Structures are given as structure tokens and as C-alpha cells.
Amino acid sequence: MRLRELSRGWHRAGEVVGLVPTMGALHAGHMSLVDRARAENTKVVVSIFVNPLQFGPREDFQRYPRPVAADLELLRRASIDAVYMPRPEAMYPPEASTRVSVGGLTSRLEGLARPGHFEGVATVVAKLFWASEADRAYFGQKDAQQVAVVKRLAADLDSGVEIRVGPTVREADGLAVSSRNAYLDARERQAAASLSMALRKAADAYQAGERALAILHGTLLEELGREPLAQVDYAELVDPEDFEGPGTLAVLAVRIGRTRLIDNHDLAKPFPG
Ligand code: PAF
């Protein structure tokens, strides 16, 4: 049965449908969103689709992890109601030429670093909203700019989908869990902790009373500078709504070897852990 028919049947029976969009390679971050969706809805759909449209030509689309059997087992144990795994040809038939483009905030930071990325995200998310007719959709705060883009899209297109955001899940040393952490070798994995360490140091300084954004910015750069493997793509303090500076949301994109990691934290809040 097609997802839309399934969802319409659920709605006719008075059910409330939550959608957790993913690209698979599920980890504790995804599963925390799944748990929350289960607690807040009577039916939960998880989509798994490695979306070619949101990868640049020189990015990791081909090598992106696709552990389908392990993902399905995790979801089976989480007792969700449906897994949606469209084939790429079904999602984007050759004649398809519509793209969803969110203006403004997509031209900064991740949008600048990864041209076309947010158009790919917005297009697939809009299609997932149409296909699922979900009442609510769940996204992780780790991709803070994606969250802002999706909120804008959901409102601007009158989608009727309520966006709920789950906190970033972190490893014991603070590293934000991400499917891309699987690319890191042992030394790189150690170096990857520099992102959360920088965010923690800056948040601690803010909590201690420091309000000068230039000094907080300096703290981020100084901390990242201590790690020889860390190559900073950007480290900025921006407004969390429009991603233009200045503001207390610290956003980082850092290359560790061949792997590009992102993380963020609102310095006005204590760093967790
Ligand atoms: O965050 C992701 O995994 C993806 O960008 C999303 C939202 C599933 C769209 O492909």
C-alpha cells in the first residue's frame, strides 16, 4: 500500500501520525527522535532515503553508509508502524523537474559551503510531507540550519506539519553522534572531540558572565586551533532564527581528515554533561 493511503486510513480512524525522516545508518540520535515520536503520536513512520539531491558532486553520496538490515532491525525493535524506503527512481523519475528552494537563510554557512544542499533537503522533505501527510515531523538539533530551513518550508508551504526538534545526542566525550562519525579512524575520532570541547569552553565562558561575542568567538577558534587535525570550515556566532550574525548560537563545520563534521550549541544554555 502507498504511504499516503496508509496515512489517510490512519487519519480516518482518528490516529495522529508522526514522521521521522532519515537517511538511514541509524544511531542514538535518530532513535531518540523515534522514541519521542512514539510517545507523542499514535502512529509513527520512519523514512530511510539517501537523498542524492542534497549531496554535491564531490561529496560522499556513494560512500554514505547504508546498513539496511541493521537499520530495519533497530526499527523492528522500536515497534514503529511503517518504514518508508522509496527507490531513487520513484522519488525522482527522469521527467521530474520541480525543486523546492527556501530563500534567505540557505545562502549562508552550510548553504554557502554546500551549494544546492538545502534545495535537495527542502525538495525531499516537502515530498516526504506530501507522501506521509504526517501531523508532526521530527528533526535533530545537530543540523540546526536544516531545522531552520525545514521550519520555514513547513510554514511557507502551509504544510500543516508541525516540526518538533530533538536535542543533539552526544558520546561520552561530547562528540555529537552522526552517521559520518563512522568514517573516522581512531586518531581522527579523538580529534573529533575538539568540536564539542570548543562549544563547551565557549558555553562555560558565557555562563561565567562573558558576553563579548568577539571573545567567545576567539574561545571557539583557540580551542579548535589546539587540535592539529582540525581544519575549520567555519566557526560563527549567529542568530538561531536567520543564521546571520551576531547571536549566541555557535555553529561549527570542521574537517577532520576527509570527514566534514558539524555541531552547534546555544551559548546562552549550559553545555550538557
Ligand atoms: O537529516 C537528514 O538525515 C536529512 O537531511 C533528511 C532530513 C532526512 C533529508 O534527506
Side-chain angles (χ1 to χ4, degrees):
M1 189 191 282
R2 290 172 58 203
L3 178 59
R4 189 173 295 131
E5 288 156 27
L6 187 66
S7 177
R8 285 188 180 170
W10 284 337
H11 279 133
R12 277 194 297 275
E15 310 280 10
V16 180
V17 181
L19 169 72
V20 184
T22 83
M23 297 204 300
L26 302 178
H27 50 60
H30 296 116
M31 296 318 285
S32 73
L33 296 178
V34 169
D35 288 346
R36 177 152 174 216
R38 281 185 55 214
E40 296 176 352
N41 303 275
T42 57
K43 296 287 178 191
V44 172
V45 180
V46 176
S47 64
I48 298 182
F49 180 67
V50 185
N51 176 31
L53 231 53
Q54 69 188 75
F55 289 80
R58 292 166 58 197
E59 293 185 356
D60 56 344
F61 175 67
Q62 295 300 341
R63 72 171 183 140
Y64 197 84
R66 290 167 173 82
V68 177
D71 284 351
L72 292 177
E73 177 55 22
L74 273 176
L75 294 176
R76 191 188 61 73
R77 278 194 251 138
S79 305
I80 57 153
D81 301 280
V83 182
Y84 181 54
M85 295 180 62
R87 283 176 297 108
E89 320 80 77
M91 190 61 110
Y92 302 119
E95 68 278 14
S97 59
T98 301
R99 297 288 181 266
V100 178
S101 166
V102 175
L105 73 144
T106 54
S107 60
R108 301 184 264 283
L109 300 167
E110 280 302 280
L112 261 190
R114 304 181 66 190
H117 171 67
F118 284 128
E119 190 173 277
V121 170
T123 301
V124 81
V125 166
K127 286 178 69 89
L128 292 169
F129 287 180
W130 274 66
S132 66
E133 298 190 345
D135 298 288
R136 300 186 182 118
Y138 293 78
F139 295 85
Q141 174 62 26
K142 192 188 101 27
D143 297 301
Q145 200 174 355
Q146 169 171 281
V147 165
V149 169
V150 168
K151 282 184 174 168
R152 192 69 273 140
L153 158 109
D156 290 354
L157 297 184
D158 306 315
S159 68
V161 182
E162 187 193 330
I163 307 304
R164 297 210 169 167
V165 183
T168 303
V169 175
R170 297 182 181 280
E171 306 279 3
D173 65 354
L175 176 65
V177 300
S178 161
S179 308
R180 290 192 168 97
N181 293 351
Y183 299 151
L184 302 168
D185 67 25
R187 171 65 189 95
E188 290 169 345
R189 169 63 190 80
Q190 221 181 6
S194 58
L195 281 83
S196 54
M197 185 56 82
L199 294 172
R200 182 188 297 280
K201 282 270 163 70
D204 288 352
Y206 190 98
Q207 298 306 316
E210 183 58 70
R211 292 293 182 272
L213 294 181
I215 292 185
L216 295 165
H217 187 235
T219 305
L220 289 174
L221 293 180
E222 190 187 316
E223 203 49 45
L224 290 167
R226 285 187 210 282
E227 173 48 66
L229 290 191
Q231 290 202 324
V232 179
D233 220 346
Y234 60 74
E236 301 289 343
L237 286 166
V238 297
D239 180 297
E241 297 301 314
D242 62 7
F243 283 76
E244 277 207 286
T248 56
L249 183 70
V251 285
L252 306 179
V254 176
R255 286 180 197 281
I256 306 283
R258 286 174 65 206
T259 305
R260 185 173 179 279
L261 300 175
I262 60 171
D263 199 352
N264 69 87
H265 182 72
D266 186 344
L267 302 185
K269 299 177 186 156
F271 197 82

